[in-house]
Amino acid sequence: MTTLQDCRALDAQDPLRELRTLFTLPPGVIYLDGNSLGVMPAAAPARVAAAVTQEWGDGLIRSWNSAGWFTLPQRLGDKIAQLVGARPGEVVATDSTSINLYKVLSAALSIAAQDAPQRKVIVSERSNFPTDLYIAEALCQERGYQLQLLEPEGVTAALTPDVAVLMLTHVNYRTGAMHDMAAVTAAAHEAGVLMVWDLAHSAGAVPVDLNGAGADFSIGCGYKYLNGGPGAPAFVWVHPRHADRFWQPLAGWWGHAAPFEFTPGYRPATGISRYLCGTQPILSMTALECGLDTLLAAAPLGGMAALRAKSLALTDLFMALVEARCGGHGLALVTPRDAARRGSQVCLSRQTGAYAIIQALIARGVIGDFRAGDPPGPANGTPPMPDILRFGFTPLYLGFEDVWNAVEHLREVLDTGEWQRPEFNQKHAVT
Ligand SMILES: *Cc1c(COP(=O)(O)O)cnc(C)c1O
């Protein structure tokens, strides 16, 4: 069995270990929540301060040109493109994941309505992140479609001739299970269905090849594995074969072909720029660029493939240590063990106490998070999923000794019953 000494040896040999210096982590914290909010890049405070004092304070309105503010969505988009298998000019950083999903889903429905008007169904996964389902539900109401929700194994079999769009999140936020993007996209196209991928838990976490898979639309999140800061802008990618076919519904002036002509009629920009809407949050964009640069700094060290190899080694170690050292406490592994079928997080379920165990860990400086299980009752034949303890692993700033220490804290919290203390059993507004 792996020992603490083994973990230290693994850290000493780790070619990516120097990347940790690109981040500012509070002392004493083992951060296992980069899947929810990435750690602050060390460069961010000075970069954002310069954007405030020099670009805004001194440059004022001139900075739209002189500091390159106006082209930030495209410039950051080109950096994101390198992480998701897209080409330069195919991605923009903008708005939130929810808003970008509304845009691409609407465009996908417009394309389907023209090519195959009898198709009136959007298929997704029952356990998809709720905002994705809410946005789809709203669009279905608006445009007379139906949303059909299935278990992950059942989605491709459900692609009947009435289905217009398959909308999936590549890595499930609760279980960490990952779809085979190429195979699912191929199955969708075989069935005449357009494919929308949400990369919220994939971009910066696992290698992604949107063009290789031939996907149709994709969106993703800036503040999770991309380390862009709280509320960082998200991103949107549309395959070039679709980019110019329809207006997206939020046809604001930043998506206009010539916004500074101030003409009354809308004329969409060509390509992905038409997926912009209005004026961007420049300070947030500035912080997002610092986050993207931490990932691009891994490129000379092997890039996403090297990050993925380390992420799998970290998550394998975590699963093995939890099994060996935290047995008999009712924890069950929810994340698939097969490396090809999981992202960069490990989720454990427990019938009771999951929330309090996470709170007790946080009090010890081990920050993971809690996600509520399914409501009780026979929802759809499958038994409801219990509450979940979720641990995200970011190879940019985590090492093997961190994994060892995190499991030791978990073991102590369970062995001593520390989690049962009343202060760990009070729910906060944000879990
Ligand atoms: C995190 C996440 C979001 C977040 O959406 P926001 O618009 O940023 O609040 C959306 N979808 C999925 C799948 C996510 O994991």
Side-chain angles (χ1 to χ4, degrees):
M1 192 61 220
T2 310
T3 64
L4 175 57
Q5 279 62 38
D6 297 333
C7 292
R8 289 185 176 145
L10 288 168
D11 282 332
Q13 296 158 14
D14 171 17
L16 301 179
R17 70 183 180 284
E18 72 201 54
L19 295 171
R20 188 181 180 117
T21 60
L22 299 175
F23 295 89
T24 304
L25 271 157
V29 163
I30 300 174
Y31 195 67
L32 305 180
D33 219 353
N35 51 320
S36 206
L37 175 66
V39 166
M40 184 178 75
R47 179 69 194 89
V48 173
V52 172
T53 55
Q54 291 155 34
E55 296 179 10
W56 179 17
D58 298 336
L60 292 169
I61 197 149
R62 295 168 289 194
S63 288
W64 284 108
N65 293 312
S66 62
W69 285 355
F70 191 62
T71 52
L72 271 172
Q74 289 86 357
R75 199 151 60 74
L76 271 50
D78 284 350
K79 292 190 173 188
I80 294 167
Q82 298 173 47
L83 304 171
V84 297
R87 287 172 288 253
E90 290 182 358
V91 176
V92 281
T94 186
D95 297 335
S96 68
T97 308
S98 304
I99 291 173
N100 288 335
L101 179 60
Y102 182 78
K103 296 176 206 169
V104 300
L105 202 48
S106 175
L109 292 182
S110 296
I111 290 171
Q114 189 171 77
D115 294 352
Q118 80 287 1
R119 294 177 180 265
K120 287 289 189 190
V121 173
I122 299 174
V123 168
S124 193
E125 213 182 299
R126 192 181 310 279
S127 59
N128 201 341
F129 192 85
T131 201
D132 296 43
L133 301 180
Y134 304 157
I135 294 279
E137 193 182 326
L139 260 168
C140 283
Q141 278 188 29
E142 194 180 308
R143 299 179 58 152
Y145 282 71
Q146 272 190 345
L147 179 60
Q148 193 184 349
L149 299 181
L150 297 150
E151 300 312 308
E153 328 62 73
V155 286
T156 48
L159 301 177
T160 51
D162 56 347
V163 177
V165 173
L166 175 58
M167 173 192 86
L168 292 176
T169 298
H170 183 221
V171 175
N172 186 283
Y173 78 106
R174 238 177 15 169
T175 63
M178 181 167 72
H179 286 287
D180 180 338
M181 179 178 285
V184 174
T185 303
H189 289 172
E190 183 80 10
V193 171
L194 290 165
M195 186 73 231
V196 176
W197 286 109
D198 186 332
L199 301 180
H201 290 273
S202 312
V206 297
V208 174
D209 189 359
L210 287 169
N211 276 306
D216 297 294
F217 298 90
S218 181
I219 52 164
C221 185
Y223 52 79
K224 293 173 179 163
Y225 291 97
L226 297 183
N227 305 314
F235 67 89
V236 49
W237 170 85
V238 177
H239 194 285
R241 68 179 169 266
H242 302 307
D244 293 330
R245 277 193 69 183
F246 282 94
W247 297 11
Q248 54 96 355
L250 305 178
W253 71 307
W254 274 52
H256 193 280
F260 287 93
E261 285 177 9
F262 294 104
T263 54
Y266 184 70
R267 199 157 41 83
T270 53
I272 195 64
S273 292
R274 77 175 53 180
Y275 281 80
L276 299 177
C277 179
T279 307
Q280 300 300 310
I282 298 303
L283 299 178
S284 295
M285 287 267 182
T286 303
L288 172 60
E289 184 157 35
C290 295
L292 297 174
D293 287 344
T294 63
L295 283 149
L296 297 181
L301 303 168
M304 284 309 306
L307 289 170
R308 174 63 169 166
K310 182 173 169 189
S311 147
L312 288 174
L314 292 170
T315 47
D316 278 335
L317 176 65
F318 182 79
M319 290 188 284
L321 289 175
V322 167
E323 246 163 29
R325 304 180 70 80
C326 305
H329 287 294
L331 295 173
L333 180 66
V334 173
T335 305
R337 222 173 266 276
D338 176 3
R341 292 192 49 234
R342 62 184 155 91
S344 201
Q345 70 189 54
V346 176
C347 303
L348 306 171
S349 70
R350 199 170 188 275
Q351 290 300 337
T352 57
Y355 179 81
I357 294 167
I358 287 291
Q359 293 307 308
L361 283 171
I362 292 173
R364 287 163 164 263
V366 179
I367 304 183
D369 65 21
F370 159 87
R371 286 291 172 266
D374 295 330
N380 51 298
T382 54
M385 166 133 26
D387 287 348
I388 291 209
L389 301 91
R390 193 171 70 150
F391 302 99
F393 291 83
T394 308
L396 288 168
Y397 48 76
L398 281 174
F400 295 89
E401 187 174 348
D402 293 324
V403 173
W404 174 276
N405 290 332
V407 174
E408 280 309 281
H409 282 293
L410 177 60
R411 187 180 63 74
E412 285 170 24
V413 162
L414 292 166
D415 282 352
T416 61
E418 181 177 306
W419 61 275
Q420 288 164 337
R421 299 217 299 249
E423 69 264 34
F424 299 137
N425 285 274
Q426 274 162 11
K427 280 245 170 105
H428 301 291
V430 174
T431 60

